Amino acid sequence: MRLLFLGDLVGRSGRRAVIEQLPILRDRYSLDFVIVNGENAAGGFGITEEICDELIQAGADVITTGNHVWDQRQALVFIDRQERLLRPLNFPEGTPGRGAAMFKAANGAEVLVMNAMGRVFMNEMDCPFRTVDRELSNRNLRDIADVIFVDFHAEATSEKQAMGYFLDGRASCIVGTHTHTPTADYRILENGTGYISDVGMCGDYNSILGMDKVEPLQRFLSRIPSERFQPSLGVATICGIGFEIDDTSGLTTKIGPVRLGGLLTPTEPDFWVS
Ligand SMILES: [Fe+2]
Ligand SMILES: [Fe+2]
């Protein structure tokens, strides 16, 4: 089975690129399942219901999020009716929405998607390790679903690698998000889980993490905020990661980065384009 995950869409530039390209990519790679992180889709901060609908229309099966999930306050309400939108699983009990859910892929596979958030250099949350563990409740991967996918939204690569080893062999794929900068450590872990510390963002890389450079630089220099961060509006790079997953074991057999358009050196998984 072929699964594509796209990193955090930042603002109009990232959103437009993904909405325009996703139908083409679905077709070009014969994708069975697509997940995108949408936490920065609305002007860099959160997501609106309209954007949710547009992304699903364009071919996203699931939209994951992270620390910015509630930046657009309306998300607290519409998340309960947007079944394809997830928020981090390890918010306190009673938080609106869901952090894990089962979806059907184009090839008929049952896919469990989980979204969790790290705690190192981030806001206090329930323990992501115990929360994810509880969700899997000591069952084998294939006793739960055909594929288990985890978007671990975290700052520290150590915490993300720890989650990788914690779930190795118990999940099909674990991807890191949040830093908006792709890492080169994509690989298959010892027990068959496809892993990358950070997928990067879909946005303008002529920026600071997708934001117009002036204000973030000014804040580093002066330590005084002077205006709101604005998404950078140049041409976006679509940044993602592709997985080939074995139908029998539910584990990853191939993993490769996708980087298209914009400033980064283009790359596509060679096992999808030959
Ligand atoms: Fe983000
Ligand atoms: Fe984030």
Side-chain angles (χ1 to χ4, degrees):
M1 158 165 161
R2 295 180 166 194
L3 185 153
L4 173 70
F5 176 86
L6 300 179
D8 309 23
L9 276 60
V10 183
R12 192 191 312 150
S13 137
R15 205 170 68 226
R16 286 289 147 237
V18 169
I19 288 168
E20 189 188 297
Q21 289 300 315
L22 196 48
I24 298 166
L25 295 180
R26 268 204 95 117
D27 190 50
R28 176 173 161 79
Y29 301 145
S30 310
L31 297 173
D32 296 302
F33 202 73
V34 175
I35 304 164
V36 304
N37 186 301
E39 72 150 6
N40 307 109
F45 298 92
I47 188 162
T48 63
E49 189 160 31
E50 193 188 349
I51 293 172
C52 247
D53 289 334
E54 281 181 320
L55 290 172
I56 292 161
Q57 189 69 35
D61 291 291
V62 182
I63 303 164
T64 53
T65 56
N67 55 305
H68 288 291
V69 61
W70 313 125
D71 286 1
Q72 306 291 323
R73 306 291 294 172
Q74 52 171 287
L76 285 160
V77 177
F78 74 71
I79 197 165
D80 280 323
R81 56 177 181 254
Q82 284 285 346
E83 293 190 345
R84 294 179 181 273
L85 177 66
L86 299 181
R87 47 88 172 151
L89 192 60
N90 50 331
F91 272 111
E93 223 178 283
T95 302
R98 296 177 301 168
M102 201 72 90
F103 301 91
K104 202 174 244 349
N107 66 341
E110 297 281 345
V111 185
L112 173 65
V113 182
M114 291 197 267
N115 190 190
M117 208 162 98
R119 298 192 293 184
V120 178
F121 309 127
M122 298 187 88
N123 289 337
E124 268 310 308
M125 302 281 284
D126 291 350
C127 174
F129 297 90
R130 290 187 180 84
T131 310
V132 164
D133 200 35
R134 212 172 297 130
E135 201 68 26
L136 299 177
S137 62
N138 276 326
R139 286 173 298 161
N140 292 326
L141 198 168
R142 290 303 314 273
D143 293 337
I144 302 172
D146 296 311
V147 169
I148 299 179
F149 181 95
V150 181
D151 172 354
F152 188 37
H153 196 80
E155 180 74 40
T157 43
S158 56
E159 196 178 17
K160 294 194 245 193
Q161 289 180 7
M163 185 61 89
Y165 292 117
F166 186 61
L167 295 182
D168 185 16
R170 297 203 284 158
S172 314
C173 330
I174 299 172
V175 304
T177 55
H178 179 68
T179 70
H180 293 197
T181 306
T183 57
D185 64 340
Y186 53 88
R187 64 192 186 275
I188 299 171
L189 303 177
E190 274 173 328
N191 297 312
T193 298
Y195 173 85
I196 183 170
S197 291
D198 209 289
V199 175
M201 64 168 178
C202 296
D204 176 12
Y205 279 78
N206 182 17
S207 69
I208 297 177
L209 307 186
M211 295 294 160
D212 183 274
K213 293 179 289 226
V214 175
E215 175 64 16
L217 174 58
Q218 195 47 46
R219 283 195 204 179
F220 281 115
L221 292 171
S222 67
R223 314 307 305 174
I224 302 167
S226 53
E227 56 187 55
R228 217 179 127 88
F229 289 151
Q230 298 291 345
S232 194
L233 296 176
V235 178
T237 301
I238 289 179
C239 219
I241 185 106
F243 297 89
E244 197 77 43
I245 298 163
D246 183 68
D247 292 337
T248 311
S249 66
L251 295 168
T252 292
T253 54
K254 286 173 184 154
I255 179 168
V258 175
R259 281 174 220 137
L260 299 167
L263 293 179
L264 301 190
T265 308
T267 178
E268 291 176 275
D270 52 6
F271 49 88
W272 283 352
V273 281
S274 49

